[in-house]
Structures are given as structure tokens and as C-alpha cells.
Amino acid sequence: MTFVEKLQAAWRRNRSFVCVGLDPDREKLPAALRHCRQPLLEFNRALIDATAPYVCCFKPQAAYYAGQDADDELAATIDYIHQAYPELPVILDVKRGDIGPTARMYAREAFERYAADAVTVNPYMGFDTLKPFLDYADRGVIVLCRTSNPHSGDLQNLVADGKPLYQHVAELARDRWNYNGNLGLVIGATYPEELGKLRTLCPELPFLVPGVGAQGGDARQVAALGRDRNGEGLMVNSSRGIIYASSGDDFAEAAARAARELRDQLNA
């Protein structure tokens, strides 16, 4: 089953657009977990078990593991999802962006070393940086387009040929890059007007939408503007709002409530 097929099945099975960002910080873990041999993995496993009924995918951010010398816990987290919840896709958030043999090695890292179902990539260097990922036809490639951060417009809003740069990225993704039908776009919830315009431009591409909750994006607005022609097409990411819904021993139960509430907001 390809990434897109797995994602479509998860949308329908769980009636959910929620993507849980697995971005654990040792300093923020519940006290009871901090002295475990693999605290990030134990934290993640509890979160995954609690939220799996309410999500369409999981998205570990690689920097949280590399920066804490915990690559083994990232690999173990992805393995656990594949074994316990094989119907739910895993997006490895790395935002890679290089060319040639380096890009091929990054693609091998994501899809062979970590066995991720999809990966995030940066298109700044053009098609050369995307092709090694796109050639894995059964995996997903999610391209940064209109990101949620406050200064994303420094470059993404620059106008060429009468259109902002992010629109050029979206049109290339729709028309030239998606030769294997495995491409999606990152569109921030913090820019709802652009989200709606990009959905009109790209009626079939899946959108990974960060920025709901802690960054100020509105879930209902995202659902209204971002769904595709089938009423699907969204992976609405929440990291801090779900995984740190409680700092106590009830963190998993609190995460489940937060994921369910976000799912219900999006469905409403």
C-alpha cells in the first residue's frame, strides 16, 4: 500500500485529519519517565497508544532526536508505529534540501534506514533536490510551500511573473513534480487566505497543515478552506497542544482528549 493509499484509508477509518507531532523534549517529560533508559521512546509509545484511534498519521520531527543523541529512539518509535498500528502512516519531518548523491543519501535515510512512509523536503534548490525522494513511488514527499512561521513571507511572498513564490511552488508541484502521484504540500494554518487559494489551485494534493493551536491557527477555518474535492485532503498537525496537554502522570489520557477534541473540531 502506498503512502497516499494508507493516508486515504486512515482518513476514512478514523474519521480524522489529525496528525500528532511526536516532538519530545527530555526537559518537558513527566517526572516518572525522565530516568527511563529510553525516555523519549516510552513517552512516545504511551502517546501513540492513547491517540491512535483519533488520528490519520504521526509525524516525528527528526531534530528532537538528533539533538538529544536519540536517533535509536526515533527508529524505535517508527518501528513501534509500524508494528502496533500499521494502518497509520508515519511522516518523518526533516525538511531536507540538497542535490545529487547527497539527496539520494537523505532519501535512503528517510525511507530505508527509518522506513518512514513520507518525508518533508525543502524545494529551494529546485527539482534536483526532490527527485531522489519522488522516485520512491510508494512513499510520500511533502514539499514546503507556504509555511506557518511569522517570517515565512521574507522569501515565500516574493513576486515573480506576477505571482508569489509559494504559488510557483504549488503549481510546479501540481503540474511537473508529481509524476508518481506521491507529492503533498506544507501549508500553514496561520495563513488561511493563502490556504484557501492553494486548495483552489491544487484540488487533489494532500496538505500537511502545521500551526493550529500554539501558533494561533484556527482548526475550523482550516477544515472549511483546506479540504479537497472529496472532503478530505488534510493532515492537521498538532505537537505541543497534544503531547504536552498534561505534564503529570495522566499525560497520555490528556493527549487522547486533546486529539479527540481537535478531530471533532475539524469534523464539525
Side-chain angles (χ1 to χ4, degrees):
M1 184 178 286
T2 68
F3 165 71
V4 172
E5 290 169 342
K6 187 182 284 192
L7 181 62
Q8 289 171 338
W11 283 330
R12 295 160 192 173
R13 181 186 303 106
N14 287 355
R15 295 177 47 255
S16 178
F17 299 133
V18 177
C19 170
V20 174
L22 297 171
D23 306 347
D25 182 338
R26 283 197 186 101
E27 295 181 0
K28 296 181 180 179
L29 298 186
L33 295 180
R34 292 179 191 172
H35 301 294
C36 294
R37 187 176 66 85
Q38 293 185 304
L40 306 187
L41 175 60
E42 294 303 318
F43 182 62
N44 286 345
R45 286 180 61 172
L47 292 169
I48 292 161
D49 288 341
T51 62
Y54 312 114
V55 308
C56 66
C57 58
F58 292 101
K59 183 180 71 65
Q61 164 52 258
Y64 279 86
Y65 303 86
Q68 299 179 90
D69 193 23
D71 286 348
D72 58 333
E73 294 181 76
L74 172 59
T77 293
I78 296 173
D79 285 345
Y80 181 72
I81 298 169
H82 286 328
Q83 292 168 15
Y85 305 98
E87 71 278 7
L88 294 175
V90 179
I91 301 167
L92 182 62
D93 191 358
V94 288
K95 301 179 179 71
R96 296 300 193 199
D98 214 315
I99 58 173
T102 305
R104 288 195 293 274
M105 287 298 174
Y106 279 141
R108 286 179 58 183
E109 174 195 41
F111 297 140
E112 297 180 31
R113 178 187 178 190
Y114 288 117
D117 296 291
V119 67
T120 58
V121 295
N122 188 330
Y124 190 76
M125 295 175 74
F127 178 67
D128 298 336
T129 198
L130 307 179
K131 188 177 186 302
F133 298 91
L134 292 166
D135 284 345
Y136 285 79
D138 62 332
R139 308 299 173 94
V141 183
I142 305 176
V143 177
L144 300 180
C145 181
R146 183 65 170 107
T147 59
S148 61
N149 54 302
H151 294 286
S152 60
D154 290 352
L155 295 179
Q156 293 167 20
N157 283 346
L158 294 178
V159 175
D161 297 329
K163 295 180 288 192
L165 179 60
Y166 69 80
Q167 185 173 331
H168 287 280
V169 171
E171 291 175 352
L172 284 165
R174 180 194 65 197
D175 298 335
R176 289 174 49 189
W177 295 343
N178 197 23
Y179 55 89
N180 272 327
N182 58 344
L183 190 148
L185 295 174
V186 176
I187 314 291
T190 47
Y191 299 102
E193 183 178 349
E194 289 93 330
L195 173 66
K197 289 179 179 178
L198 290 167
R199 175 50 78 200
T200 300
L201 278 174
C202 303
E204 298 181 352
L205 296 184
F207 287 178
L208 174 61
V209 184
V212 165
Q215 293 185 56
D218 182 81
R220 292 173 187 267
Q221 208 167 26
V222 168
L225 296 170
R227 286 176 294 176
D228 65 16
R229 61 180 59 178
N230 296 317
E232 299 171 337
L234 290 171
M235 299 163 279
V236 181
N237 184 74
S238 177
S239 300
R240 288 168 286 176
I242 292 177
I243 69 174
Y244 300 131
S246 171
S247 59
D249 292 342
D250 67 337
F251 71 94
E253 293 85 352
R257 288 194 298 272
R260 185 174 62 247
E261 288 169 5
L262 178 57
R263 180 201 65 178
D264 292 347
Q265 288 175 15
L266 292 165
N267 287 344

